[in-house]
Amino acid sequence: MPFGAALPQDLSWETRPHEPGEPARHTAALSDLLGATQVRSNLWRYEPGARGKRHVHARQEETFVVIGGALTIYIGEPAQRVDVPVGGAVTVPAGVPLQSANHGDEDLLVYAHGYPPDHGAEVLDPVV
């Protein structure tokens, strides 16, 4: 039976664009590494104080599972703050705006997957 596996030593971390002096976000793409064709999946690492872009996917539902640190995610319009601790998860339906942030003082590590695969999102004005 074919399967995919991603071990820590196999991950290639990419630092996402950010302003000078602004805390960075890093991502490790898992979908291709795992051979996944039905979902998009990534690991995200947010430095303390880092925040993602507020965005909305037209078709893709996204689920976030917190592996380390604490995720703060702003969901909907108007945005509602949800704090998610280690071991917690949150799902955001397609068409619902979201913005994630690390308001803590340690790195945030999140597993994120989306279905159906969607390689684009509309970027919105930030809430944080």
Side-chain angles (χ1 to χ4, degrees), residues 60-116:
Q60 180 174 272
E61 175 180 276
E62 291 185 286
T63 298
F64 304 91
V65 180
V66 180
I67 299 169
L71 168 67
T72 299
I73 188 165
Y74 298 86
I75 304 170
E77 187 64 53
Q80 177 181 348
R81 179 179 171 154
V82 179
D83 294 306
V84 186
V86 170
V90 62
T91 294
V92 181
V96 176
L98 68 113
Q99 183 175 11
S100 54
N102 178 4
H103 294 312
D105 55 4
E106 63 179 297
D107 280 0
L108 164 66
L109 186 61
V110 174
Y111 168 76
H113 80 261
Y115 179 83

Side-chain angles (χ1 to χ4, degrees), residues 40-52:
R40 300 304 302 163
S41 59
N42 298 291
L43 284 175
W44 285 89
R45 184 172 58 83
Y46 282 53
E47 296 175 2
R51 61 189 175 115

